[in-house]
Amino acid sequence: MGDDVETNESCATLTYRTEGVNNCTLSNKILAVTPCRSEPPFQMTGDRGRILTPEEAEKLVKDQNLVSDFKQQKLEREAQKNWDLFYKRNSTNFFKDRHWTTREFEELKACREQNHLYNAERCKAFQCDLTKDDLLEHVPADSVDVVTLIFVLSAIHPDKMQLALENIYKILKPGGYILFRDYGLYDHTMLRFKTGHKLGPNFYVRQDGTRSFFFSDEYMTQLLTAAGYEVLANEYVFRKTVNKKEGLCVPRVFLQCKFKKPKRESEYA
């Protein structure tokens, strides 16, 4: 989660433009990106993923040794503890508000215009595990207009992602939206993992025991349709973070989606 947050004040961002398509066997939907200094936007979107350099492709091909089953089971048991420790260590000096949620998701702007019946005393905040806790114990069925999943699914084991989406499906209104943003395939964070950190395809563990999955658009589409959602938008977001002080240029790739719970047939009449 935290890898999406830029913590260095000297970082700047550049936009991208497409250059061409590579036939790399690791992905049949990849996009070449280069900095375009003449254009002011800080990012670009596209329906094809990031291109790999030959060195990056070779690194991924060679990195096939997986963490042992014993350790993987231990990581799953201790997932909540590891994330709790992460947030405890980084509660005050890690996260910066980049104000991009309402910029990227128009639906959230309306949420700022609170209903005249809104009462803070009736607002219910609670913590739950989306993969096993029933949301219906806290939220009425078919009652939520918008759900945000921002760097959430990547921290969940791939085998449990569909369970989480099905759990949310129960409390979402027919026609209600889910707004999603998370790590995209071949993001810089994925490519910098060293040997010995791979848990499965596009799934890795950090030094502190927290885990991260990197999404392709195809994988996300399959996941959403299997859970019953209608996909409205599903595209890669490309950023390039430049640390001028250290002379680093870091390509970031995220996947951004909007999907909804279909309306019932009677509601279309």
Side-chain angles (χ1 to χ4, degrees), residues 80-95 208 210:
Q80 180 176 333
K81 182 187 74 172
N82 290 332
W83 278 113
D84 287 344
L85 289 172
F86 172 87
Y87 285 111
K88 184 178 180 180
R89 288 192 299 266
N90 299 290
S91 60
T92 59
N93 60 353
F94 190 80
F95 298 98
D208 61 5
T210 60

Side-chain angles (χ1 to χ4, degrees), residues 201-213:
N202 308 328
F203 192 37
Y204 295 83
V205 60
R206 302 181 182 88
Q207 291 285 359
D208 61 5
T210 60
R211 299 170 297 177
S212 187
F213 186 86

Side-chain angles (χ1 to χ4, degrees), residues 57-120:
E58 183 180 6
K59 178 181 183 295
L60 290 181
V61 169
K62 288 183 177 180
D63 188 14
Q64 298 300 322
N65 295 327
L66 302 183
V67 173
S68 68
D69 289 340
F70 174 80
K71 185 174 181 180
Q72 293 214 36
Q73 292 172 14
K74 185 174 184 291
L75 288 169
E76 179 66 19
R77 290 193 304 269
E78 298 178 353
Q80 180 176 333
K81 182 187 74 172
N82 290 332
W83 278 113
D84 287 344
L85 289 172
F86 172 87
Y87 285 111
K88 184 178 180 180
R89 288 192 299 266
N90 299 290
S91 60
T92 59
N93 60 353
F94 190 80
F95 298 98
K96 295 182 183 296
D97 189 353
R98 299 296 177 183
H99 306 289
W100 57 263
T101 51
T102 52
R103 182 179 68 237
E104 296 294 332
F105 299 112
E106 292 288 334
E107 293 79 6
L108 293 180
K109 291 182 179 179
C111 295
R112 289 185 171 182
E113 301 174 5
Q114 298 288 359
N115 190 290
H116 68 283
L117 297 176
Y118 173 77
N119 183 345

Side-chain angles (χ1 to χ4, degrees), residues 250-264:
V250 178
R252 302 307 310 269
V253 183
F254 308 109
L255 193 69
Q256 189 160 302
C257 312
K258 181 169 72 172
F259 43 104
K260 73 175 183 178
K261 179 178 180 177
K263 291 184 177 181
R264 303 182 182 93

